[in-house]
Amino acid sequence: MNHAIRFHETGGPEVLRWEAVDVPPPAAGEVTLRHHAVGLNYIDTYHRSGLYPVPLPSGIGLEGAGEVTAVGDGVTDLRVGDRVAYAGGPIGAYAQNRNMPADRLVKLPDGISYEQGAAMMLQGLTAQYLLRRTYRVQPGDTVLIHAAAGGVGLIACQWAKALGATVIGTVGSDEKAALARAHGCDHTILYTREKFADRVREITGGKGVPVVYDSIGKDTFMDSLSCLRPLGMMVTYGNATGPVAPFDLSLLAKMGSLFVTRPTLFGYTAERVDLVAMAAELFDVVGSGKVRIEIRQRYALADAAQAHRDLEARKTTGSTVLDPA
Ligand SMILES: NC(=O)c1ccc[n+]([C@@H]2O[C@H](COP(=O)([O-])OP(=O)(O)OC[C@H]3O[C@@H](n4cnc5c(N)ncnc54)[C@H](OP(=O)(O)O)[C@@H]3O)[C@@H](O)[C@H]2O)c1
């Protein structure tokens, strides 16, 4: 019998339940997947807690990798046995088997395992658009990346370094600082102990940085703004400490004609042509060895609640995969 993690009310990790779920034959435009690995992402905790509301009851999860086991009408470019991966909706990746729209899937290259696919699609495509489209990192730039030892963080630090940037990363512990330095960070700041904005000014000789990639949200937003040089770009793309409060836009003028954007991966991958091009670039940078995908935690899919606890307690580093076997 197929099983999936579902939740019937929002709340803490305890609302996640392991349930038997039917998988109907794929509808037109869909395929059925047998997951070999499922990705854990911070956004899953926002769905579970209700920060990002979803209709209930609901499945959970936006990332997986597996093989195609059935193909619906009208699907021409996928066959039974193809190895595929995805990042995005419909919600419900925490499942052994599921149906997915075929146009949201990309084929995994031979050199990339299912586990790597599930570990890199959402966090890696996010790093891709952040560094290559939202603010295009140039050689010689100094960039600030928060939560540098996290899932998105470890990928983004390596990639920014490969693009020729000097990378400043914030981290919550000494162990995380060492890990970030081993993955492209030139400077690490323990923002739990030090005022990161002061350190960024010091490191940049008072100039500030052209871009801050901030996934922390409420607690860091204002200090992140003050790290920017004039005309700098504040990329606020996550809420690990809660959503950023409304603020007076005239502050941006006073602080140096700054730009602020609040992007999501799903906006950047809405068109299939973009999804495919972004995935190709991600697979290339991983294939070349410039970016390593570090799977640092593994849990049984049935133990997803524990994975959520550890993620929210800042106990994880790099990427985490859930095993549906
Ligand atoms: N907008 C998008 O397109 C997009 C896409 C993917 C991810 N995201 C966002 O990017 C962020 C990173 O996602 P991820 O899946 O890679 O997670 P992650 O970075 O592996 O985990 C979150 C990290 O945030 C840091 N953090 C700081 N304060 C925290 C707090 N109070 N509670 C929990 N964590 C705290 C922790 O690192 P330290 O201990 O080192 O501080 C923690 O390890 C999330 O905010 C997520 O929502 C956004």
Side-chain angles (χ1 to χ4, degrees):
M1 183 72 199
N2 178 61
H3 280 78
I5 296 277
R6 294 177 59 77
F7 62 116
H8 294 249
E9 68 272 327
T10 56
E14 69 283 354
V15 302
L16 300 178
R17 298 193 206 163
W18 182 241
E19 294 182 347
V21 176
D22 269 344
V23 180
E30 287 184 345
V31 301
T32 304
L33 296 183
R34 179 183 305 132
H35 279 147
H36 288 257
V38 170
L40 176 77
N41 290 285
Y42 218 89
I43 192 170
D44 306 341
T45 71
Y46 306 147
H47 288 138
R48 190 211 71 222
S49 72
L51 178 66
Y52 293 176
V54 293
L56 296 176
S58 177
I60 184 165
L62 296 175
E63 182 180 40
E67 65 182 292
V68 174
T69 56
V71 176
D73 287 345
V75 176
T76 53
D77 53 351
L78 288 174
R79 289 191 216 156
V80 169
D82 279 350
R83 301 168 69 251
V84 295
Y86 62 91
I91 197 167
Y94 290 16
Q96 293 175 313
N97 299 273
R98 71 169 303 186
N99 292 332
M100 271 298 286
D103 65 0
R104 293 285 87 200
L105 301 173
V106 295
K107 284 188 193 172
L108 280 175
D110 287 344
I112 296 197
S113 68
Y114 287 123
E115 267 206 332
Q116 283 178 307
M120 76 156 100
M121 284 296 286
L122 202 146
Q123 295 165 349
L125 291 177
T126 299
Q128 193 282 341
Y129 85 75
L130 292 173
L131 304 174
R132 304 283 292 145
R133 288 179 72 193
T134 309
Y135 172 88
R136 217 173 152 84
V137 172
Q138 303 296 329
D141 279 346
T142 299
V143 304
L144 174 60
I145 300 175
H146 283 304
V152 176
L154 273 194
I155 297 173
C157 290
Q158 296 176 79
W159 203 329
K161 184 73 183 167
L163 292 169
T166 297
V167 182
I168 308 176
T170 59
V171 288
S173 69
D174 291 313
E175 296 72 30
K176 289 181 179 185
L179 185 67
R181 281 198 297 274
H183 290 83
C185 257
D186 298 281
H187 306 273
T188 47
I189 305 177
L190 271 95
Y191 52 0
T192 41
R193 278 190 229 148
E194 308 171 84
K195 284 192 189 277
F196 71 84
D198 292 351
R199 281 289 316 284
V200 169
R201 288 276 155 201
E202 203 179 289
I203 292 165
T204 59
K207 287 199 185 106
V209 291
V211 63
V212 178
Y213 297 107
D214 187 334
S215 60
I216 306 301
K218 181 165 69 69
D219 286 5
T220 49
F221 183 79
M222 283 300 164
D223 288 334
S224 291
L225 282 184
S226 68
C227 293
L228 288 167
R229 74 179 188 201
L231 276 64
M233 167 85 78
M234 170 70 182
V235 185
T236 171
Y237 73 99
N239 329 274
T241 58
V244 174
F247 68 100
D248 178 2
L249 280 179
S250 69
L251 255 184
L252 301 179
K254 287 184 201 130
M255 295 178 85
S257 300
L258 303 179
F259 294 83
V260 175
T261 180
R262 176 57 176 93
T264 83
L265 173 64
F266 314 117
Y268 281 77
T269 54
E271 299 294 335
R272 178 158 179 84
V273 61
D274 293 322
L275 170 67
V276 169
M278 291 164 71
E281 201 178 305
L282 173 64
F283 294 150
D284 271 359
V285 82
V286 171
S288 73
K290 288 179 186 161
V291 170
R292 300 192 302 280
I293 301 302
E294 301 287 4
I295 302 170
R296 296 183 53 89
Q297 297 77 216
R298 291 178 173 83
Y299 300 82
L301 179 59
D303 295 335
Q306 188 57 44
H308 277 220
R309 276 184 205 104
D310 292 348
L311 183 61
E312 289 174 292
R314 305 168 77 162
K315 287 186 183 159
T316 65
T317 50
S319 301
T320 302
V321 292
L322 306 172
D323 179 0

